Amino acid sequence: MKDKTIDYALRATWQAVSRMYNEEAAKYDATIATGFALLSLDKEAGTPSTTLGPKMGMEATSLTRTLKSMEEKGLIYRQKNPDDGRGVLIFLTDFGKEKRELSKNTVLKFNETIKAQISEEKLQHFMEVTEIINELIQEKKIFNNNE
């Protein structure tokens, strides 16, 4: 449709991708948030809990729920940060590492399927456009109250 706005196209596409990932994750009693968290955690060294939220773009409340669920399912465990007694490191269990590999393969399959259907040039343009949109938002160049 010619009258679609850029934000509509982005939102509708992300909702479709998110729904697709959640449907796939549901087959393994997981969610897109769980898969993303698995992929965001360092496989061996652990990840400080304080860096995980910003890395994933999640609010603290949602992240806490996700991590609690992951811990209950035996995907992760928490350990005091030896470099910062106030902090906690989050580690993958062996089961978590298995599920991380499954999440990784799911993302790779998505990317391979898209790349098989869209030219490298078009994908490069897409990446450039999303990068510019993100920069405009981060630099507050769209809605600037000082103007």
Side-chain angles (χ1 to χ4, degrees), residues 87-131:
V88 174
L89 292 175
I90 301 167
F91 291 89
L92 293 167
T93 62
D94 288 340
F95 182 55
K97 288 176 184 176
E98 285 177 34
K99 294 299 183 180
R100 183 185 193 280
E101 200 59 30
L102 181 64
S103 295
K104 179 180 162 188
N105 290 335
T106 301
V107 170
L108 290 175
K109 180 173 175 47
F110 171 77
N111 279 271
E112 289 166 7
T113 303
I114 299 303
K115 286 178 178 181
Q117 299 295 313
I118 300 173
S119 73
E120 184 62 37
E121 182 183 9
K122 284 184 178 181
L123 281 172
Q124 185 60 42
H125 288 304
F126 171 76
M127 295 301 214
E128 289 169 5
V129 168
T130 58
E131 191 175 311

Side-chain angles (χ1 to χ4, degrees), residues 21-39:
Y21 275 137
N22 270 322
E23 287 172 5
E24 188 64 22
K27 296 175 186 175
Y28 305 97
D29 190 32
T31 65
I32 189 173
T34 302
F36 195 28
L38 289 168
L39 293 171

